[in-house]
Amino acid sequence: MGCCGSKGQYAVEEPGAYEARREKMLEAADRRNAQSAMRGIQNPRSAARLREEQSKPARTSEFQARKDEQMVRDWGS
């Protein structure tokens, strides 16, 4: 019969070891997320500009509203 751990049945961690390990894992996850978000982007400035343009409301709704108004006017005549 053997023992799974070399320190005995129950291994005791140093105080704060869990928090340090957790912090390292969170930093690694943040780093992976940042790399994933920037994957394939050559110019960060142009990417930021593109994201800003995509987050604006679509101008097609403005043109569609004008078109709808014109159709209503045409039907009324």
Side-chain angles (χ1 to χ4, degrees):
M1 302 285 172
C3 184
C4 293
S6 62
K7 293 184 178 181
Q9 189 175 4
Y10 299 103
V12 178
E13 289 186 345
E14 297 177 16
Y18 173 78
E19 290 81 10
R21 210 173 42 241
R22 184 174 187 277
E23 186 65 30
K24 279 185 176 180
M25 290 188 319
L26 288 174
E27 288 172 4
D30 288 339
R31 196 169 37 251
R32 283 192 307 271
N33 286 341
Q35 288 173 349
S36 174
M38 296 301 288
R39 182 168 287 133
I41 296 175
Q42 299 296 322
N43 186 348
R45 244 187 284 160
S46 64
R49 197 172 352 155
L50 178 63
R51 276 191 224 108
E52 183 179 320
E53 287 293 323
Q54 289 175 343
S55 68
K56 289 181 181 178
R59 293 188 65 196
T60 56
S61 62
E62 175 185 332
F63 297 123
Q64 186 65 40
R66 288 184 193 169
K67 186 176 174 183
D68 292 344
E69 289 174 13
Q70 183 64 40
M71 287 175 64
V72 168
R73 277 189 249 133
D74 290 346
W75 273 90
S77 303

